[in-house]
Amino acid sequence: MTPRTALTIAGSDSGGGAGIQADLRTFFAHGVHGLVAMTAVTVQNSLGVQGFTEIPADVVTAQIKAVATDMGVNAAKTGMLASAEIIRGVAKTLDEIGEFPFVVDPVAASMTGHALLREDALEAIRTELFPRATLITPNLDEVGLLTGISVTDEESQRAAAEALLDFGSRWVLVKGGHMRGTTECVDLLTDGRQYISLSGPRYVTENTHGGGDTLASAITASLAKGASVPDAVAAGKKFIERCVAEAYPLGAGVGPVSPFWVLSP
Ligand code: PXL
């Protein structure tokens, strides 16, 4: 039986915890065949990103076209996009290859604070990709950069979600994981009509590298299999909770969230 397919448009993490490496193993864990359009090669370990090299924009778009025209894409997600030129190329190519669920994780920086985007590129994600997106999945730092709103409670989380919806995506997931001083992680999912609050335990760990990528790719995999956005997000949250609960130290810095539990569930 041919499995469903999901495409990740993202960067490589030499440390194997985030980026394409996280996306592919998450797709695999969902029984979905992973397709790749690589945007950048990062040089990094648990202590941080030492640098990155972009893939030329025409090579990024050629990868998308190659797999889309032959193998078919049931859903796609973006992670690290590196430059405005790549973002514009991705947007144009998506218009050419047709309709499927499209998740935009507006990755701006690594958890250690290293920029993964050139300066003008977050604006390009907002204007070029959000209007084409089924769902966007910013964390609170990215929400701040995009809207200027500092989310500290449910009210500001809702205000931020509404401001983000105005940028044109069908759904917005404002992840509450980076909110301080809470015992629960409360994420807010909305399309402007439904407001769905998703609450889960907050696990205390230093090792959260790749968490956002893993959540977005778990959601994308469920969408590739035909789930609704609310069902895909709820399932994705359960998936990432287990990955965070079992995250492990590796190197002297921030270790990765763990995909290994899927081998012995
Ligand atoms: O977690 C965001 C992210 C995405 N993609 C790549 C990364 C990181 C964080 O470090 O390195 C390639």
Side-chain angles (χ1 to χ4, degrees):
M1 272 281 289
T2 303
R4 307 288 282 179
T5 65
L7 168 66
T8 175
I9 306 167
S12 167
D13 169 5
S14 53
I20 284 172
Q21 289 78 3
D23 297 339
L24 286 181
R25 63 174 169 247
T26 303
F27 293 161
F28 172 81
H30 286 77
V32 167
H33 179 95
L35 303 168
V36 175
M38 191 180 289
T39 58
V41 176
T42 71
V43 176
Q44 65 175 298
N45 56 27
S46 73
L47 297 171
V49 178
Q50 295 166 15
F52 68 81
T53 300
E54 292 162 35
I55 305 295
D58 61 334
V59 178
V60 175
T61 56
Q63 292 172 83
I64 299 172
K65 283 181 199 161
V67 297
T69 54
D70 174 50
M71 303 164 109
V73 174
N74 296 127
K77 71 157 288 230
T78 60
M80 175 185 182
L81 290 167
S83 75
E85 199 189 348
I86 291 175
I87 291 158
R88 283 191 287 269
V90 168
K92 186 161 170 287
T93 307
L94 288 175
D95 286 347
E96 290 165 16
I97 62 175
E99 276 286 303
F100 42 75
F102 177 48
V103 176
V104 176
D105 186 16
V107 172
S110 72
M111 294 182 31
T112 40
H114 296 79
L116 296 173
L117 269 184
R118 307 270 176 232
E119 253 175 30
D120 54 342
L122 190 63
E123 177 68 8
I125 290 180
R126 184 171 77 67
T127 57
E128 300 278 336
L129 295 185
F130 283 5
R132 292 171 168 84
T134 309
L135 170 71
I136 64 171
T137 62
N139 64 30
L140 294 186
D141 299 327
E142 293 152 0
V143 169
L145 290 172
L146 286 158
T147 67
I149 296 174
S150 164
V151 174
T152 52
D153 54 21
E154 274 179 43
E155 204 183 328
S156 49
Q157 192 177 34
R158 187 174 167 127
E162 280 163 0
L164 289 161
L165 269 181
D166 285 344
F167 297 145
S169 64
R170 220 161 309 148
W171 290 85
V172 169
L173 178 68
V174 178
K175 298 180 289 186
H178 293 194
M179 222 183 292
R180 303 267 163 248
T182 53
T183 52
E184 297 271 292
C185 278
V186 183
D187 304 333
L188 178 64
L189 175 68
T190 182
D191 62 353
R193 292 182 296 274
Q194 301 179 66
Y195 287 81
I196 303 169
S197 182
L198 298 121
S199 184
R202 173 181 294 282
Y203 295 99
V204 179
T205 175
E206 296 301 308
N207 304 313
T208 54
H209 184 58
D213 314 60
T214 300
L215 173 63
S217 47
I219 294 168
T220 305
S222 291
L223 293 174
K225 293 194 283 187
S228 67
V229 170
D231 286 351
V233 171
K237 188 164 170 76
K238 289 274 168 259
F239 186 87
I240 188 60
E241 276 171 10
R242 186 88 188 259
C243 296
V244 173
E246 301 194 15
Y248 49 90
L250 181 66
V254 179
V257 300
S258 175
F260 287 114
W261 62 270
V262 301
L263 298 175
S264 51

